[in-house]
Amino acid sequence: MTTKARDLAVGLTVDFLTITCAYAVFYWFRVKSGAVQYTIEPEFLLPMMAVYFYWLVWFLLFGLYRPWYSLSRLDEAVTIFRTTAVGVLLLFFFIFIDDESTNAHTNSRLLIIGYWVLTYTFVTTGRLTLRFVQKRLLRRGIGGRNTLIVGWSEKAFELCDMVLKYPTLGYNVVGFAALNTKDVGKKTKPNSYQSIRVLGSIVDVPRLLDEHRIQEVLIGLDTTEHHRLLEVMKCCNGHDVGMKIVPDLYDIVSGQARISSLYGSPLMDVRPQLLRPWEAALKQILDFFVSLAVVVIGMPLWLVIAASIKVDSKGPVFYKQERLGKGGSVFKILKFRSMRTDAEDTSGPVWAGRNDARVTSMGRLLRRLHHEVVPQFINVLHGDMSLGGPRPERPYFVEKLALEIPLYKHRLKVRPGITGWA
């Protein structure tokens, strides 16, 4: 089990215990204490489980299960406060406003406020206790994320010193990857620093990431080595690792970097998660309903197009082709067929060109009106694509372009889209 998966499992367990304990205390006060009058005794177990899953959804949407290492205790407490406040407000409208077990609305309001206080107190106490235990374990070298420092210079050494000085950050440095190994081993620069060895050069980074199960890459480049940054990032393509670098002052003041702090030293997250979980969920909901509307409303036009394709040329109405989606997953993209069925029998995989002779008469009209892509709304409904995003490309071309364009595979961090820069 990876560190990320373990932290998620522990966090889910602690939240389950604290949320259910808060509900149990609330249930005892509301039902068993005699302080609140009711006509029918409410059930305990089923509502408790329903409430837990309700909070689980809210915690996921508000990002409470993201990596916790860079968060302060105050940040986490504020996020829990905001999440529980919004969640309890909705509970008030969905449940307690129709509560028939009490006759006065004032009692319902007081009860919901009391439940909110209990939930916030229990969850926050559980989270802060968990963070205290986790940080104590990190000080003993338990639970850190395997980390590779790229660079063999004063900047890299300073970064290493800070990481070793503050073990609660969770970085377990397993070694260095030098940009140029010709200086490694000299008297002024031996092959280890702070008992941490140089494991290889920059060309060895992909192998090192797999061999040592690296989860974080810290990049320490001197001013004269900045031109190598894209080369380093390219070596990490296709690996699920976090990447951080000490930015230039220009990057900080110009607002071009997402900055976190390593005990006073700024770090730029090279691969930030741009959308908050609730934003990503809202985008996916919008994708689904818009696509559903397009499919339902456009069905009569689809039937006309399908009949026209069958009359115009031999072959199926729809064209399916393998494309790479989010995380490099392969899916079948769906289009109205606009080319002959033998379009690539002799040429192999090639891009379509202007006035391509392989395009049929109906296909030429569909391409001019951009209607050949309409069936891709079914891909959106299936969850493989989004309304907006990078062009979904074939695996053959992805590998080819990744060799020529630095960071090309970063596109695979999001769902490809029907519309985009292309």
Side-chain angles (χ1 to χ4, degrees):
M1 181 182 292
T2 64
T3 303
K4 186 184 297 184
R6 186 194 62 227
D7 288 343
L8 177 60
V10 173
L12 288 171
T13 302
V14 170
D15 285 345
F16 174 77
L17 293 175
T18 54
I19 290 171
T20 53
C21 284
Y23 184 85
V25 173
F26 172 75
Y27 181 87
W28 173 85
F29 175 78
R30 184 187 178 212
V31 178
K32 302 298 184 181
S33 68
V36 180
Q37 299 298 319
Y38 58 88
T39 55
I40 301 175
E41 181 174 336
E43 295 184 24
F44 172 71
L45 187 59
L46 187 60
M48 181 183 71
M49 297 305 298
V51 166
Y52 166 70
F53 284 110
Y54 170 82
W55 285 120
L56 175 63
V57 171
W58 274 107
F59 285 10
L60 286 169
L61 290 178
F62 275 77
L64 281 171
Y65 294 112
R66 291 169 122 180
W68 58 272
Y69 298 92
S70 60
L71 283 178
S72 69
R73 295 177 185 179
L74 178 61
D75 289 335
E76 189 162 21
V78 170
T79 304
I80 295 172
F81 180 89
R82 184 169 60 245
T83 306
T84 53
V86 175
V88 165
L89 183 63
L90 288 180
L91 275 180
F92 174 76
F93 287 108
F94 292 158
I95 300 176
F96 287 95
I97 202 167
D98 290 326
D99 191 356
E100 296 179 357
S101 64
T102 60
N103 295 322
H105 288 293
T106 303
N107 287 342
S108 292
R109 295 190 186 98
L110 292 175
L111 284 171
I112 193 63
I113 292 174
Y115 176 67
W116 174 49
V117 171
L118 283 172
T119 302
Y120 175 72
T121 302
F122 273 81
V123 172
T124 303
T125 301
R127 285 286 187 119
L128 296 184
T129 302
L130 174 62
R131 302 302 175 234
F132 174 79
V133 173
Q134 287 174 322
K135 291 194 173 185
R136 290 293 294 269
L137 292 174
L138 287 173
R139 287 194 183 98
R140 298 183 181 182
I142 302 173
R145 295 157 293 168
N146 287 352
T147 301
L148 180 72
I149 296 180
V150 177
W152 189 248
S153 61
E154 292 302 320
K155 185 74 71 174
F157 300 154
E158 291 173 8
L159 196 55
C160 180
D161 290 337
M162 286 187 291
V163 168
L164 296 179
K165 185 177 181 181
Y166 302 107
T168 55
L169 290 168
Y171 295 112
N172 175 35
V173 181
V174 299
F176 290 90
L179 295 184
N180 193 343
T181 56
K182 68 179 182 180
D183 293 329
V184 177
K186 293 183 177 181
K187 292 182 179 180
T188 55
K189 290 185 177 180
N191 60 1
S192 66
Y193 178 79
Q194 297 278 36
S195 300
I196 300 173
R197 296 180 59 252
V198 176
L199 301 177
S201 67
I202 186 173
V203 297
D204 300 313
V205 167
R207 174 180 59 83
L208 297 176
L209 296 181
D210 292 328
E211 286 184 2
H212 298 275
R213 298 182 180 180
I214 300 298
Q215 295 172 275
E216 295 285 343
V217 174
L218 301 181
I219 305 173
L221 301 180
D222 277 343
T223 305
T224 58
E225 299 172 329
H226 284 183
H227 64 286
R228 305 290 298 276
L229 175 58
L230 288 180
E231 186 180 350
V232 175
M233 296 175 66
K234 185 177 179 181
C235 290
C236 298
N237 274 346
H239 293 81
D240 184 19
V241 294
M243 296 181 65
K244 293 181 175 62
I245 184 171
V246 179
D248 289 331
L249 291 177
Y250 173 79
D251 293 324
I252 299 174
V253 299
S254 64
Q256 299 303 311
R258 178 165 292 184
I259 305 297
S260 58
S261 179
L262 183 61
Y263 284 87
S265 178
L267 282 178
M268 180 177 70
D269 194 345
V270 179
R271 293 179 171 180
Q273 186 172 347
L274 300 179
L275 289 179
R276 297 182 180 90
W278 69 267
E279 292 173 332
L282 184 61
K283 182 176 184 291
Q284 196 164 357
I285 292 172
L286 181 66
D287 286 343
F288 179 83
F289 283 105
V290 171
S291 300
L292 183 62
V294 171
V295 171
V296 173
I297 296 173
M299 188 57 67
L301 178 60
W302 286 37
L303 295 175
V304 173
I305 293 175
S308 302
I309 292 173
K310 293 296 290 184
V311 171
D312 180 58
S313 62
K314 294 181 179 180
V317 171
F318 295 108
Y319 175 68
K320 297 180 181 180
Q321 191 179 69
E322 285 190 350
R323 299 291 176 97
L324 286 189
K326 184 178 180 180
S329 60
V330 179
F331 70 97
K332 294 277 189 178
I333 198 171
L334 196 63
K335 293 183 177 183
F336 282 125
R337 183 175 59 83
S338 61
M339 289 188 175
R340 302 191 312 267
T341 55
D342 61 348
E344 291 185 341
D345 286 353
T346 58
S347 64
V350 292
W351 279 303
R354 190 184 299 272
N355 300 321
D356 199 311
R358 300 171 299 166
V359 178
T360 63
S361 300
M362 185 61 190
R364 191 168 292 107
L365 176 62
L366 290 175
R367 285 171 174 254
R368 187 176 298 118
L369 298 175
H370 301 287
H371 274 41
E372 85 280 6
V373 301
V374 171
Q376 291 177 22
F377 284 100
I378 296 176
N379 291 116
V380 177
L381 289 174
H382 194 263
D384 294 322
M385 294 179 63
S386 177
L387 295 178
R391 169 190 169 91
E393 197 51 83
R394 300 162 73 173
Y396 171 82
F397 291 120
V398 168
E399 296 303 324
K400 183 177 179 181
L401 291 169
L403 296 175
E404 302 174 5
I405 304 174
L407 313 182
Y408 181 81
K409 286 190 176 181
H410 277 202
R411 297 155 56 101
L412 302 180
K413 294 187 68 175
V414 298
R415 287 184 179 85
I418 296 177
T419 62
W421 284 353

